[in-house]
Amino acid sequence: MTTLRAFLEPADFEHGLFPPRNFELRGDKLAIGDAYTSIVSLEARYDRHTTLYLDHNNPNDPFKLLSGHTNAILSGSDFPEPVELLSVSMQADRTVFLPRFQPLQWRRADAATSVSAILVNGPSLEYANGQLSFAVDKYTIKCREFQSARDFRREARLHKDDSIATAELVMTATDGNPINADTALTELTDLSRFFTFVRGSNSAVGNLRGLDANSAPTFAHLGFGKSDGFWSERNWCDEMVIRQTPEIYGLYRSVTSEPEARRVLVRALDYYRAANVGRATSPQLALVASYAALEKV
């Protein structure tokens, strides 16, 4: 059985660059068709673009296991649902898998008193002294920027297309009630999407770790969403907006609580992002996207 302490902690991401160290993920069964291997240990790792890969050091001939089939299924007591794996590389002593859906869910039944996550390519928090705190219904989410992120921003163009771990997010319940795995992923993903307002392009959140009051493991979401490159063009956001994002986020959540308003605002946000991401290579496209964003709101 995998323990949460085998997974990556915030300290593993403090230096900013991917990949951090490898970690172990264990399952009760790895099956492809009728063939299977029991009690498997997979070496998990992220590549430089935050994609999660799982390496299986095959005890037997891997070609016999994989012959005639495409995907593998990883299952066990730690996985709420079987995990479908795509084989992307196969050698005599190692098979490399890619989870078809990321983040990958590890446990779900036990709730947590706190949840930590890593923010990739987040906005600069320099003008907020590197920290922000967001009130989310009955929860608080604190965002702490890594020192390394500030160093990378001084040479941001050199890391234009890179994925950089820029901050840690910590979510706690203000009423002391536990936080379940689905709520944690939804709330933290929504916050990372909101950061598009101040950054001008997408950030991503991942590597969620749930802990109980005794720091024992409860659940994890392994892997990251998709983000745009680390460097982006300057946009309308200034230092005052950065400091006021907790208040703005409250208004954002109020608007998006109504389905139709959410649809309009999210679509406008998509056009706004497209305008910022595309203007370096296609000013005409960026202008059209900007007009589209304005028309939506």
Side-chain angles (χ1 to χ4, degrees):
M1 178 180 293
T2 302
T3 65
L4 192 64
R5 291 179 178 82
F7 297 158
L8 299 181
E9 300 181 357
D12 294 306
F13 296 90
E14 289 270 4
H15 66 286
L17 286 175
F18 281 80
R21 69 174 176 84
N22 296 351
F23 59 98
E24 183 186 31
L25 185 67
R26 304 191 68 182
D28 297 340
K29 181 177 173 182
L30 179 66
I32 300 181
D34 296 331
Y36 68 90
T37 301
S38 299
I39 315 300
V40 293
S41 175
L42 303 172
E43 186 176 27
R45 56 187 172 86
Y46 293 112
D47 71 1
R48 63 190 298 263
H49 298 297
T50 71
T51 301
L52 178 66
Y53 289 92
L54 302 174
D55 294 355
H56 181 218
N57 296 321
N58 304 289
N60 302 310
D61 182 359
F63 299 98
K64 181 183 297 184
L65 177 64
L66 297 174
S67 177
H69 300 279
T70 304
N71 299 342
I73 302 296
L74 176 66
S75 60
S77 58
D78 283 337
F79 302 102
E81 299 174 358
V83 180
E84 186 175 0
L85 305 176
L86 311 177
S87 62
V88 295
S89 175
M90 188 167 55
Q91 302 173 12
D93 61 346
R94 186 181 71 161
T95 302
V96 179
F97 294 106
L98 174 70
R100 184 172 182 181
F101 300 105
Q102 299 188 32
L104 180 158
Q105 174 77 59
W106 181 84
R107 297 189 186 172
R108 177 180 286 154
D110 297 329
T113 57
S114 67
V115 181
S116 72
I118 301 300
L119 183 68
V120 171
N121 293 350
S124 172
L125 304 187
E126 178 181 357
Y127 296 110
N129 296 319
Q131 297 189 53
L132 290 172
S133 181
F134 299 85
V136 181
D137 293 335
K138 296 177 288 186
Y139 310 105
T140 297
I141 302 175
K142 294 185 177 180
C143 182
R144 175 184 66 88
E145 187 173 53
F146 297 142
Q147 176 60 49
S148 61
R150 306 173 203 180
D151 298 333
F152 279 113
R153 288 195 178 96
R154 296 189 185 99
E155 299 180 333
R157 285 181 179 270
L158 298 179
H159 302 279
K160 180 177 180 180
D161 299 318
D162 286 344
S163 296
I164 304 294
T166 55
E168 177 192 11
L169 301 175
V170 176
M171 180 179 179
T172 55
T174 56
D175 57 6
N177 287 326
I179 306 169
N180 66 50
D182 294 337
T183 296
L185 182 62
T186 297
E187 295 293 352
L188 293 174
T189 300
D190 281 352
L191 180 58
S192 72
R193 184 171 182 79
F194 165 77
F195 282 142
T196 302
F197 274 121
V198 291
R199 174 170 146 78
S201 54
N202 283 349
S203 302
V205 69
N207 205 76
L208 276 69
R209 303 166 68 252
L211 299 173
D212 66 15
N214 298 314
S215 297
T218 57
F219 60 79
H221 292 278
L222 305 175
F224 288 82
K226 298 296 183 182
S227 67
D228 293 311
F230 178 66
W231 178 82
S232 61
E233 296 275 3
R234 288 184 63 85
N235 56 77
W236 56 267
C237 181
D238 62 19
E239 58 185 84
M240 184 63 71
V241 173
I242 294 293
R243 289 196 292 267
Q244 293 179 342
T245 47
E247 291 78 11
I248 297 172
Y249 188 54
L251 298 173
Y252 171 86
R253 285 182 56 83
S254 177
V255 171
T256 55
S257 64
E258 198 279 315
E260 180 59 23
R262 178 181 180 85
R263 186 188 66 80
V264 171
L265 186 56
V266 168
R267 181 61 60 86
L269 191 59
D270 286 338
Y271 283 130
Y272 166 60
R273 171 204 165 258
N276 280 285
V277 172
R279 69 182 184 177
T281 54
S282 178
Q284 296 86 354
L285 177 60
L287 185 61
V288 171
S290 296
Y291 279 125
L294 290 172
E295 288 177 356
K296 278 294 177 183
V297 297

